[in-house]
Amino acid sequence: MEENMKLATVEDTVEYRLFLIPDEPRDPEKHKETLQKYIERIMTQFAPMLVPYIWQNQPFNLKYKPGKGGVPAHMFGMTKFGDNIEDEWFIVYIVKQITKEFPELVARIEDNDGEFLLIEAADFLPKWLDPDNSANRVFFYHGELCIIPAPMKPGAVSWLPSKPPTIPQALNIISTHPENVLASESIQAAVNRRIRGYPEKLQASLHRAHCFLPAGIAAVLKQRPRLVAAGVQAFYLRDPIDLRACRIFKTFLPETRIMTSVTFTKCLYAQLMQQRFMPDRRSGYQLPPPSHPQYRAHELGMKLAHGFEILCSKCSPHFSDSKKSPVTTSPLWAGFLDSLKKNDYFKGLIEGSTQYQERLEMAKNYFQLSVNRPEGSLAMNPGEEILTLLQTLPFDFEELKKEEANLSPEDDDQWLDVSPDQLDQLLQEAAGKKEPEPLSKEDEHYDLTQVSKSMKAFISKVSTHKGAELPREPSETPITFDADSFLNYFDKILGPRPHESDSDDQDEEEFECLDSDDDLDFETQEPGEEASVKGTLDDLKSYMAQMDRELAHTSIGKSFATQKQMESLSQTTSNNSDEEHTGAGGSVMTPVDVDLNLVSNILESYSSQAGLAGPASNLLQSMGVQLPDNTDHRPTSKPTKD
């Protein structure tokens, strides 16, 4: 019946909290009333952005949360954004704007991964900040990202606690030292890059497509466009039990289908398009041949109809819509409607027109769910909401059929077909990196020393159990590599070279110099521990000596290019006899050309990638090195003489 069926998904969730400064009011009940008024003001002021937005799973919401466990009373919200990561970053933008519009509020936001704002700016974080000490340090205040610093030493700064602060401590620090807790410009830029373009960006996230749908679904989506998300999710996350309801349709009959225009988010549209599905023959939903000009509209409509039928099948046949109270009777409705008009929510539409009424119904629904929702009340599930609309919403099937001839053009979905080059560009933009400029003809003679220098800079970095650090800006900072120091470190670990002394005293003195890098304190070791370490080192030396003896009888050394070989290439053929006279023994002692071997091996790996992503290109790109395209088309086999 189908090839792709997603049975389960992990629901990603973002949580956000808004605190009022000062955070400890004398009267808790009065503070609760104050916070509830703030919720009404916030949801009303940001309604023009929030009302038309189509959320993947759950909308932005706020409710009062009493103080508990050292956390003062505050405004709390939680949204399951699922597969659409743009929902999460839209919420970040909203929270940031709230603290800008209401400067007496401090906001905190995190998701399943924890401090995801720090994850976004990971390349620019100070060394001391890690997941173990980042609790209660990241906030928005006055529309700016704030990170409460940690003192270099306990008590060094009187107003900074030595441990991660509590929420009351953090709020006090932010309110009294706002200029000292601002995040650095690079961290701010990394976060702002993800929310750049809002609110104009909201329209770019939508996709309008023609769908051959039952008239009931078309009428429901005209009144509640956001319900398209529930329909898509029901189809996308269907299981065999859900599909039993779609063997024979009871609510959305295929005979009532009409052509209509549906607005999706790009994420929802992609979810519908990427799954292959063939309906049950008993359902009545037959698809035309793939060559049919309206095949895609029929396919989208069929999938969406299955999603809506699944939603309605999960409702009790005797459900009650008593949960819904009249909207216009609320004392808050008049002020909410005035705020919408002031913020140009109706876009100049004539009052009483069809489009005006559609936007008004959307506003009423938003008001019911977000502003005027009684505390502790339960919202309707999507299936109940759809059935309620079908019972109360009058629609003319013939009128909807006439509208088919005047449908607005659907959007181009070529954005679904991303080429490898476009994907690389998108990934670079997401990482905040500028797209590297293509190499010009003047850059034909590429300087390969940049590759070896970058690799040496990478090797010289100190690595820990958390991983190795890449040079952040290799183009801006000079690369330094002390080969003697590099070899000395190996000598200290593997033992001295043959011409050096092999005394125990020297070994002990040299290892004491490594305390700062290896976090080992040999001076404070017990005699038994010191003997154990020395024994381990002796064993390692013997292993290395044995390996040298075994490799001396192999041709492994010939696989490396040596400095002697490179010199011979620049000499004339008359010097070849001298090189042969040197013999195998001389070549053994000839130093290996580390740079040449490094570059040649990297180029060989890069060439074998055939233009695709691979270890060589990924490592070099992370260090800011761009290799030119391979224009050396060498033959795969040597030509033979006739």
Side-chain angles (χ1 to χ4, degrees), residues 543-617:
Y543 290 147
M544 297 299 296
Q546 184 177 351
M547 289 175 61
D548 289 340
R549 288 193 297 270
E550 293 178 0
L551 293 176
H553 301 288
T554 67
S555 59
I556 189 75
K558 296 180 181 180
S559 63
F560 297 98
T562 63
Q563 295 178 2
K564 184 83 174 177
Q565 293 171 347
M566 294 310 298
E567 292 172 1
S568 65
L569 292 177
S570 62
Q571 294 175 352
T572 60
T573 55
S574 61
N575 295 332
N576 289 342
S577 58
D578 295 336
E579 184 179 352
E580 293 173 0
H581 182 69
T582 305
S587 62
V588 171
M589 300 304 294
T590 304
V592 171
D593 193 323
V594 178
D595 289 350
L596 177 61
N597 284 278
L598 172 65
V599 173
S600 61
N601 288 332
I602 288 181
L603 290 180
E604 184 178 354
S605 176
Y606 180 75
S607 178
S608 66
Q609 295 175 194
L612 303 176
S617 60

Side-chain angles (χ1 to χ4, degrees), residues 309-319 381-388:
E309 186 74 18
I310 290 171
L311 289 174
C312 294
S313 68
K314 295 182 178 181
C315 298
S316 169
H318 305 293
F319 81 94
N381 65 52
E384 293 175 348
E385 192 172 353
I386 292 168
L387 291 176
T388 300

Side-chain angles (χ1 to χ4, degrees), residues 505-516:
D505 294 338
Q506 185 176 356
D507 286 344
E508 292 177 7
E509 290 174 1
E510 288 175 340
F511 274 104
E512 287 174 3
C513 297
L514 292 178
D515 289 348
S516 59

